[in-house]
Amino acid sequence: MSKQKDTLLRLIAANKGHPSAEELFLECKEKNVKISIATIYRNLNLLVQEGKIAKISLPNEPDRYDSRTDTHIHGVCDRCHAIEDFEIAELDAFLAKQTGLAIHSYDLTLHYTCAKCRKKEALNIYSWL
Amino acid sequence: MSKQKDTLLRLIAANKGHPSAEELFLECKEKNVKISIATIYRNLNLLVQEGKIAKISLPNEPDRYDSRTDTHIHGVCDRCHAIEDFEIAELDAFLAKQTGLAIHSYDLTLHYTCAKCRKKEALNIYSWL
DNA sequence: CTAAATGCAAACTATTTGCAACGAT
DNA sequence: ATCGTTGCAAATAGTTTGCATTTAG
């Protein structure tokens, strides 16, 4: 595994926020790891194929990458688009039972307003104070 | 509502397969409705804003459009990529209860092998017969 | 007659690819 | 010396935008 590929894997694992290719590019620069955007995309695709990371698609946004490849849940804030991970242990069984299907895997994204944005909103509401 | 916009809305409602912009463009041609790809995208975005259709994003594929805007479930076949709709009435309550969040909406995509492809697979397995 | 919607072509964003140079065995 | 990996720049896919023109009320 080349230095560039290894760096990407580490950055994705370290970054809780599910970074995009562009964000990884900037993070590499900050860490003084020399890499081109083409190599980023090439390695991201390789890592996905190898099953070491997963790709996340959302409307009107560049793809993001996730160090977790097991089935889990994404929560995205409708205000700031931050992504968090969630776990619902009983969901697999629940879905299998309700649908009667042999489900290989599933993608679940919850939309809500995150705690930070709720706080901001509350401040704005009372901004005249 | 212009003829073009109306046509798009109807085509999306009629097409069970969740069509992409390009597919809608071709369907319009077949129906002899004159429309440019720019107008397609413009109207699709308007219809999404108006809450009349929904946009679906999947990795490595163009965005697709859905005539259903209520929260429901997509099932996609891992072999042929066909998309079906599902309903699980109790899911909303289940998610709210398990996460404790005020969930605006959610996107759930199930991955499996659809009935058609399962049948094909079975035939292949016994193809020497 | 006016405002809204369209078509065309150019622009733009995200991503991929060809190819020559580089780097590690 | 070889084979995989890289950087660069050009190419591509999907989508958006500016602007002159058309359409509908």
Side-chain angles (χ1 to χ4, degrees):
Chain A
M1 168 137 20
S2 72
K3 186 182 178 184
Q4 284 86 345
K5 194 171 171 189
D6 181 64
T7 304
L8 286 175
L9 193 50
R10 286 167 192 280
L11 285 177
I12 293 167
N15 186 325
K16 296 270 175 190
H18 307 75
S20 64
E22 195 63 30
E23 284 165 5
L24 290 165
F25 183 56
L26 295 177
E27 284 192 48
C28 281
K29 270 196 180 168
E30 283 175 22
K31 295 220 164 190
N32 293 313
V33 174
K34 205 187 162 198
I35 194 170
S36 75
I37 194 71
T39 300
I40 298 220
Y41 280 109
R42 253 188 304 241
N43 280 328
L44 289 175
N45 284 336
L46 289 173
L47 289 167
V48 168
Q49 278 178 227
E50 293 164 13
K52 296 197 176 123
I53 61 173
K55 190 193 267 203
I56 310 171
S57 281
L58 295 174
N60 314 318
E61 287 199 66
D63 289 340
R64 307 188 151 273
Y65 296 86
D66 192 336
S67 62
R68 288 190 56 183
T69 56
D70 62 320
T71 290
H72 63 289
I73 298 163
H74 290 126
V76 37
C77 174
D78 285 338
R79 295 261 182 298
C80 71
H81 304 122
I83 302 180
E84 284 181 88
D85 285 342
F86 288 89
E87 221 68 52
I88 303 181
E90 301 85 349
L91 186 53
D92 297 53
F94 183 83
L95 292 174
K97 188 180 167 194
Q98 297 288 326
T99 64
L101 292 166
I103 297 168
H104 299 345
S105 68
Y106 58 84
D107 297 320
L108 173 57
T109 304
L110 307 174
H111 293 265
Y112 52 76
T113 307
C114 73
K116 265 188 200 166
C117 287
R118 273 205 308 278
K119 198 166 268 182
K120 265 188 213 164
E121 235 168 66
L123 287 174
N124 283 336
I125 289 172
Y126 299 112
S127 59
W128 64 82
L129 290 180
Chain B
M1 164 135 24
S2 71
K3 186 182 176 183
Q4 284 85 344
K5 194 171 171 188
D6 182 63
T7 304
L8 286 174
L9 193 50
R10 286 168 192 282
L11 286 177
I12 293 166
N15 187 324
K16 295 271 174 187
H18 307 76
S20 64
E22 194 64 28
E23 284 165 3
L24 290 165
F25 183 55
L26 296 177
E27 284 193 48
C28 282
K29 272 196 179 168
E30 284 175 23
K31 295 222 166 191
N32 293 315
V33 174
K34 206 188 161 197
I35 194 170
S36 73
I37 194 72
T39 300
I40 299 222
Y41 279 110
R42 254 189 302 242
N43 281 329
L44 288 175
N45 285 336
L46 288 173
L47 289 167
V48 169
Q49 278 177 225
E50 292 164 14
K52 296 198 177 122
I53 61 172
K55 192 194 265 204
I56 311 172
S57 282
L58 294 173
N60 313 317
E61 286 199 66
D63 289 341
R64 306 188 153 272
Y65 296 86
D66 193 337
S67 61
R68 289 191 53 184
T69 58
D70 61 318
T71 290
H72 63 288
I73 298 162
H74 289 126
V76 37
C77 175
D78 285 340
R79 296 260 182 296
C80 70
H81 303 121
I83 301 180
E84 285 180 87
D85 286 342
F86 289 89
E87 222 68 53
I88 303 182
E90 301 84 348
L91 186 54
D92 296 54
F94 182 84
L95 291 174
K97 187 179 167 196
Q98 297 288 325
T99 64
L101 292 167
I103 297 169
H104 300 342
S105 67
Y106 58 84
D107 297 320
L108 173 57
T109 304
L110 307 175
H111 293 266
Y112 52 76
T113 308
C114 75
K116 265 188 201 166
C117 288
R118 273 205 307 277
K119 198 166 269 184
K120 265 188 214 163
E121 235 168 63
L123 287 174
N124 283 335
I125 289 172
Y126 300 112
S127 58
W128 64 82
L129 290 181

